[in-house]
Amino acid sequence: LEVLVGDQIKKSDIDDLVEIENSGWKAESGTSIQASNTRAFYEKVIQELSVTNDAYIIFLKAADKRISCALAFKAKNRLFLHKIAYRDETKEFGPGNIMLLNLLRTMAQQSDIDEVNLVTCPDWCERWHFQVANRMSLRCFNTNLKGRFFSLLLNTKNYFKQRSKINAKVSEKHDE
């Protein structure tokens, strides 16, 4: 997997992205960057977001050849996969899925990425989109004095935060 971020992205990388995306069904359906005449727009967006390292181009390579790619943009701690494509001649091997799996593994190791979002929702990926997103939080503290102090401090803060929400609701009902 080759992950290019910000100023690592060169014109030749954008050329490869556009060429890969235009190699198959996206060109035929008119949704590829090249077929929809939106290349100048994407180049400008990539250029602008590269300044803050919020533009990503990801490639999956096989035998030193780029066979699938993704164009992604980062906002806060979320990576939004905007365009995903593969070389049409490699589709029987599922290069887009392989790239996505490797990208998820790679991003799980990044401290600045908390979520990878599949922006589009074609019929084939409906099974990947959950109707409910569960969120859990786990905080671990050392058992030494410093760890116990921070645990007590955090739990006290959360207690008062919860109490203030309850008091606000009671106050709203009382005002009605």
Side-chain angles (χ1 to χ4, degrees), residues 5-20:
V5 181
D7 62 0
Q8 296 174 331
I9 300 170
K10 307 296 180 220
K11 185 182 180 313
S12 60
D13 301 316
I14 297 171
D15 293 343
D16 284 354
L17 171 93
V18 170
E19 188 244 324
I20 291 169

Side-chain angles (χ1 to χ4, degrees), residues 138-150:
L138 174 65
R139 293 187 173 111
C140 299
F141 296 93
N142 289 333
T143 56
N144 62 18
L145 184 59
K146 188 177 180 181
R148 289 179 184 192
F149 173 74
F150 282 118

Side-chain angles (χ1 to χ4, degrees), residues 26-102:
K26 288 187 178 188
E28 294 166 11
S29 68
T31 61
S32 72
I33 292 171
Q34 186 170 319
S36 61
N37 293 317
T38 55
R39 182 178 178 130
F41 167 77
Y42 281 105
E43 285 179 348
K44 184 70 173 166
V45 169
I46 292 167
Q47 178 186 10
E48 294 291 323
L49 291 177
S50 288
V51 173
T52 55
N53 283 333
D54 292 328
Y56 287 65
I57 295 181
I58 301 103
F59 292 104
L60 177 69
K61 294 168 79 175
D64 290 328
K65 182 176 181 178
R66 292 170 167 175
I67 61 169
S68 68
C69 61
L71 173 61
F73 305 113
K74 188 174 116 182
K76 295 187 180 178
N77 288 7
R78 292 182 178 156
L79 187 66
F80 294 90
L81 296 180
H82 184 67
K83 290 277 195 177
I84 301 173
Y86 54 84
R87 290 191 186 280
D88 198 50
E89 67 267 17
T90 64
K91 70 180 176 186
E92 68 184 279
F93 304 109
N97 288 332
I98 295 168
M99 183 199 61
L100 183 57
L101 175 63
N102 285 306

Side-chain angles (χ1 to χ4, degrees), residues 96-125:
N97 288 332
I98 295 168
M99 183 199 61
L100 183 57
L101 175 63
N102 285 306
L103 179 63
L104 291 172
R105 287 179 174 158
T106 300
M107 292 299 117
Q109 303 301 315
Q110 302 298 313
S111 61
D112 61 332
I113 301 289
D114 293 334
E115 179 180 318
V116 176
N117 188 307
L118 299 173
V119 177
T120 58
C121 190
D123 294 339
W124 65 264
C125 78

Side-chain angles (χ1 to χ4, degrees), residues 121 125-134:
C121 190
C125 78
E126 188 170 313
R127 66 180 181 205
W128 294 88
H129 288 268
F130 299 106
Q131 298 300 316
V132 176
N134 292 326

